[in-house]
Amino acid sequence: MVELINQGVYLLNGKEIVKDPKGLPSPDEARENTITYGILRAHDASGDKGKKMKIHFDAMMSHDITYVGIIQTARSSGLEKFPIPYALTNCHNSLCAVGGTINEDDHVFGLSAAKKYGGIYVPANQAVIHQYAREAMVKCGNMILGSDSHTRYGSLGNMGVGEGGGELVKQLLKNTWDINAPEVVLVWLEGKPKKGIGPHDVAISLVKATFDNGFVKNKVLEFAGPGVKELPIDFRNGIDIMTTETTCLSSIWVTDDEVKHHYEIHNRPEAYKQLQPGDVAYYDAMIRIDLSTQESMIALPFHPSNAYTIHELQQNPEEILKKIEEDAKKRFGDKVNVCLSDKIKNGKVMADQGIIAGCSGGTYDNLSAAASILKDKSTGNDYFTISAYPQSTPVYLATTRNGIAEELLEAGVVIKPAFCGPCFGAGDVPANNGLSIRHTTRNFPNREGSKPGQGQLSMVALMDARSIAATAANGGVITAATDIEYEDNHKPYDFDGRIYERRIYNGFNKADETQALRYGPNIKDWPKMYAMEENMLVELAAVIHDPVTTTDELIPSGETSSYRSNPLKLSEFALSRRVPEYVGLSKKIQAQDLERRAGNCPEHVAEALAKVGANPENTSFGSCVFANKPGDGSAREQAASCQKVLGGDANICYEYATKRYRSNCINWGIVPFTISKDTAFDYQPGDMVYVPGIRKAIMEGKEEIDAKVITKNGIEDLHLYFQNLTNDERIILCEGCLMNYYASQNKK
């Protein structure tokens, strides 16, 4: 179904794929004819069409677990007004009850910031962040930067990029997003999906084919081919939003009459234009997807790439579920007892819960298909439950007018307002050892309300809304939608934007500096952060050898969401579900560094420095995390900022799972060290790494340095890399963080 072609190809006239370059322009020349490069170059301020790009975006998006910190950082760095449209949505903290008034305090702050700086404020439960962008913000040929990793609008002709808050701060201060000119991968769609197949089936197959091997990491996916015209807009959006899970940089699609219709029904026909590659376009690799052979899929815990066809699962449930149990044992040890084999009843796997929600699941077409499958049926009155979250009030309104909501409710589906919570564990958390099937974006460990340290673990499998509905109609027995008969005769989606006109505050170009920001008691400024000293000594506070460490393990989602605006309180959760002792050890290291700065260097720090002949007066002391491959998943900058708040000075790894997490580390003054893949890292928490002359090396443009590891058994050599840093990033690291960088610039 998905074929990976790991060589360059040319696309001629948007139709013919050619591998032989004879008589054709060079790859560098023809790559400029891709849709990708047409958009990137139009936004590139570097002006030289070279290998480095400096991008200005057209608009930005943030939700309510990121925008407070972004605005606070930008305010302390000299923000006067929002220079581009910036939408603040409220779809992540909407239903969290933890923390009393905290959530609504953040929302009130957001509205006051929109008034003061000229922003767009979308009240709670009006829309999830990415659906509002689709309905009101996207334009063909534009670029949007979002502080959420699933910022993907390529199916509507608008390149979307998800990054940490620091990158949004740079745009608010009229600076650029600096990247290496990316490679482009052609995703060639052929055929037509059979009945019962939905966007999540295709998306899961794509993630399965590309995640583990890094085939598209930090590259742009460009979708084209005859299969595109066979997909409705919601189907395209559903695939596109999931490209984040491939670890690609961004995505873009050819546009056609279907996209034109989207803009017409959303009363923005001027935002449409046709996007096609040039006559001769070069792609660095290719993915061929035959939509006609796509099967109904399930992505089992603990990653969207851990995928099987539903038929494969039901034919061999014991062996497949045994692998999940073994994986859980490796991850959590004896802290939890995972018994997925208990889900096998009469030879078939049963789910405990079904959820259709968020930017990928709660689309009109998905809900329409689910209602058609469940029409005149019952979800039952046993343990299985099912909920649906329309992704915006206009979508909800359309399901009500067209009988979809009625059919879902009659079948026993609970309908809830627009909310992203089920994607990260803040809504519809399953029971312990429960198996939830969800049309949401992720099923990482610790995203669904699990607390392994307290013996609690639930598991999420990703499925398309159609198969979730088929499962509900089958009493909870996991069922492929291709195995059932149904007809979807509901009317097509027709957008009604009047509720937005009546509820959303649109203040772009209406900044009013006389407006006061409204602070709740939990909204706190960032603590003092120190500039880098001449030398660096770090103590390992966590050593993680998992193949991949997600941002949800670095800073858990769920109940922690209520503390996003309070750096000190939020940092208490850092690595709490993966390395519970990390916070205590980091605080101890931080306290010892404060003693050193006061002129009273702690004994064990002084002893370590003496072993390497270092001076405590010009050598910082901080904490460090080692992980094999950290940062997969969310763009939330708190995965890095919490480490910094706790005194983190560096991370060491073999590679960073995503650019966005590495960027977050840099913007928070955490040096993103890597080591070669053949270097064994057998050190333990408490061991120290001394990096002499690090500040000078960074400022002189070097990319590697020799360090010393101080253990109880002696001193060992370690070679560290810090490659591909821009000049600005080097200064940010040496200043200690992005805020310090801007503060020093303002002084000049």
Side-chain angles (χ1 to χ4, degrees), residues 68-80 82 117 165 168-170 172-173 526 738-739 742 746:
V68 175
I70 290 168
I71 293 167
Q72 287 283 77
T73 303
R75 181 182 63 82
S76 68
S77 302
L79 174 68
E80 296 179 355
F82 296 159
Y117 299 118
L168 278 79
V169 171
K170 292 176 183 176
L172 289 176
L173 299 175
W526 296 103
L738 185 66
M739 284 186 296
Y742 281 121
N746 291 338

Side-chain angles (χ1 to χ4, degrees), residues 490-519:
H490 298 116
K491 293 180 180 178
Y493 181 56
D494 188 18
F495 173 78
D496 185 338
R498 286 177 293 178
I499 194 166
Y500 282 172
E501 295 168 7
R502 295 164 179 169
R503 286 294 300 130
I504 289 171
Y505 175 79
N506 193 333
F508 180 59
N509 282 331
K510 303 173 186 175
D512 182 358
E513 63 180 12
T514 66
Q515 292 283 331
L517 292 175
R518 297 192 180 185
Y519 287 89

Side-chain angles (χ1 to χ4, degrees), residues 38-73:
I39 294 175
L40 286 173
R41 293 301 188 194
H43 293 80
D44 181 9
S46 69
D48 60 4
K49 289 195 174 183
K51 295 297 184 181
K52 301 287 185 179
M53 293 183 171
K54 302 174 78 67
I55 302 297
H56 286 294
F57 287 85
D58 299 291
M60 298 201 305
M61 308 290 301
S62 288
H63 49 60
D64 49 349
I65 62 173
T66 57
Y67 66 61
V68 175
I70 290 168
I71 293 167
Q72 287 283 77
T73 303

Side-chain angles (χ1 to χ4, degrees), residues 335 453 572 574-585:
K335 296 177 182 178
E572 296 285 339
L575 278 167
S576 59
R577 297 180 186 171
R578 184 60 188 84
V579 186
E581 60 274 19
Y582 168 76
V583 170
L585 184 53

Side-chain angles (χ1 to χ4, degrees), residues 21 75 236 390 480 614 690:
R75 181 182 63 82
R236 301 181 198 185
Y690 173 65

